[in-house]
Amino acid sequence: TKLSLTRWSADWKSATLLYEQAANGFRVSKDYEKAKLAFEKASKGQEMLASPWDAAKHMESAAALAKELRNWTEVIDFYRRASELYMQCDRPQPASDSLAKAARYGHCLSLMLSEF
């Protein structure tokens, strides 16, 4: 996706496919950090390809991996972003579901922080 003197435009279609394959491969090998990053990039690629539904699905996958890594702030951020992407394609129910997940983890995070 990087531009250079020989490449004047980004090939988002090919890059997104490669990010999706990498994300699935990393997830299978249980390298959740790399899988999460690859899903984030795949989501960005789907956005660039004007496919907010697929971008939202990838954000939810990134959120699930962030949950495995116990990175609660990222979990919340990814679910919120997924909700925004679902709304872009006029899908209020999945948007609401993602926002509810973000709220649930936000509530849990605030409870954990209040104990310290």
Side-chain angles (χ1 to χ4, degrees):
T1 59
K2 293 185 181 185
L3 306 180
S4 67
L5 290 175
T6 58
R7 188 177 333 142
W8 292 41
S9 63
D11 183 2
W12 284 105
K13 188 174 182 178
S14 295
T16 301
L17 180 62
L18 293 172
Y19 284 133
E20 290 167 348
Q21 290 172 353
N24 289 320
F26 286 132
R27 182 171 44 191
V28 167
S29 68
K30 298 189 186 298
D31 190 340
Y32 297 136
E33 183 64 37
K34 287 182 181 176
K36 177 183 61 85
L37 293 172
F39 274 120
E40 284 182 83
K41 291 183 181 202
S43 178
K44 176 65 176 172
Q46 290 294 354
E47 281 187 76
M48 298 302 288
L49 295 170
S51 183
W53 175 265
D54 291 322
K57 293 306 242 179
H58 290 321
M59 270 292 129
E60 286 191 324
S61 294
L65 292 163
K67 180 180 148 192
E68 288 293 323
L69 295 166
R70 304 176 64 82
N71 189 333
W72 308 119
T73 304
E74 280 189 342
V75 171
I76 295 164
D77 292 343
F78 292 150
Y79 278 126
R80 282 185 184 155
R81 182 66 186 131
S83 178
E84 293 168 4
L85 290 163
Y86 283 129
M87 287 306 293
Q88 285 180 19
C89 55
D90 297 321
R91 300 297 301 265
Q93 186 59 52
S96 174
D97 294 343
S98 285
L99 206 51
K101 290 175 186 174
R104 183 174 65 228
Y105 285 106
H107 179 71
C108 292
L109 180 61
S110 67
L111 288 174
M112 288 177 5
L113 292 175
S114 68
E115 290 180 13
F116 292 105

